[in-house]
Amino acid sequence: MADHETEDTARAGEGRAIRVLLVDDHQVVRRGLRTFLEVQDDIEVVGEAADGSEGVARTEELRPDVVLMDVKMPGTDGIEALRKLRDLGNPAKVLIVTSFTEQRTVVPALRAGAAGYVYKDIDPDALAGAIRSVHAGHVLLQPEVAGALLSQEESNGGSGGRSGTLTEREREVLGLIADGRSNREIARALVLSEKTVKTHVSNILMKLDLADRTQAALWAVRHNLTD
């Protein structure tokens, strides 16, 4: 199974702002997000979209670093848009920003490839921090969101106890993924190249039959591979 994660090609602090696309069917929400984000020195709003289909098209056109995506929208919803972006191989990190907290919404969004999931009542400064976090390669889940996905994994029997198939180095990498570390940070911590870390991540996902880093992080929590 291929690693769907694309290493950051543009990072805050390396010469330009984080490029953000807003995808929400409510204009007032988009306006509010834009008004706040435009005062952030390291964040640039590059465009908006009113539904998932337009969001996919604009993401392909504008190539933002981070997409703020609502879930419930007319026509193509946020989850279907996520799947389309994943199938297209688009490298943008998608941060779900929604008012829906039900497990039936949280779990599909994360499985579709969301890099994080936060609620619309999030503090503005915390939202800016969330954008910076997912842009840096971190998995961002509020505690109740992580709990929802873990509950779903438990009810489905999870991925089984296959940690024995991992090498010791892969277990170390998996533990650091669960700590929210990016490939660059893992490489620093283990004195490896980023290319080697990416290979380890790909092997972990393949061996454990997982789709992405989010699932890997939660798998590690379930199997006590974190500190």
Side-chain angles (χ1 to χ4, degrees):
M1 182 175 296
D3 178 3
H4 296 296
E5 177 214 359
T6 300
E7 192 66 24
D8 303 339
T9 57
R11 297 178 175 87
E14 290 189 357
R16 72 172 177 82
I18 303 169
R19 294 163 49 82
V20 174
L21 176 71
L22 309 177
V23 184
D24 194 293
D25 59 318
H26 292 101
Q27 185 178 14
V28 66
V29 172
R30 300 197 307 272
R31 183 179 299 131
L33 289 171
R34 178 183 280 275
T35 298
F36 168 71
L37 294 176
E38 284 182 339
V39 303
Q40 304 297 313
D41 292 337
D42 60 340
I43 296 175
E44 175 190 4
V45 177
V46 297
E48 301 180 14
D51 59 43
S53 180
E54 185 184 3
V56 171
R58 295 287 278 168
T59 301
E60 285 287 282
E61 172 194 358
L62 298 172
R63 311 302 284 187
D65 301 310
V66 177
V67 178
L68 300 190
M69 180 90 72
D70 193 11
V71 173
K72 298 295 184 181
M73 294 180 287
T76 302
D77 65 16
I79 293 171
E80 183 59 28
L82 269 164
R83 293 183 181 126
K84 289 182 178 180
L85 289 172
R86 181 187 61 193
D87 292 343
L88 288 167
N90 192 288
K93 312 285 188 178
V94 178
L95 177 63
I96 294 293
V97 184
T98 184
S99 56
F100 291 89
T101 61
E102 297 93 339
Q103 182 170 302
R104 67 177 181 272
T105 300
V106 173
V107 174
L110 294 175
R111 291 196 180 285
Y117 197 113
V118 297
Y119 301 133
K120 285 184 177 177
D121 62 357
I122 187 172
D123 178 86
D125 289 330
L127 177 60
I131 291 170
R132 297 180 185 109
S133 182
V134 298
H135 178 251
H138 299 293
V139 175
L140 184 72
L141 300 177
Q142 293 181 329
E144 59 270 34
V145 174
L149 190 55
L150 285 171
S151 296
Q152 182 71 27
E153 290 289 332
E154 292 288 351
S155 66
N156 290 340
S159 301
R162 294 198 291 273
S163 60
T165 66
L166 301 178
T167 66
E168 186 59 34
R169 179 64 83 188
E170 288 165 353
R171 289 170 65 89
E172 290 177 324
V173 170
L174 181 55
L176 291 171
I177 290 173
D179 288 339
R181 307 285 190 92
S182 65
N183 281 2
R184 170 174 285 192
E185 291 170 327
I186 293 172
R188 261 192 221 121
L190 298 180
V191 196
L192 300 171
S193 70
E194 288 186 61
K195 183 176 180 180
T196 297
V197 171
K198 189 172 183 179
T199 298
H200 284 313
V201 173
S202 295
N203 290 339
I204 290 166
L205 298 180
M206 179 183 65
K207 288 181 178 182
L208 300 180
D209 191 24
L210 301 171
D212 51 43
R213 295 176 80 92
T214 302
Q215 289 188 15
L218 292 165
W219 194 96
V221 171
R222 289 185 69 245
H223 293 276
N224 299 316
L225 294 184
T226 57
D227 291 334

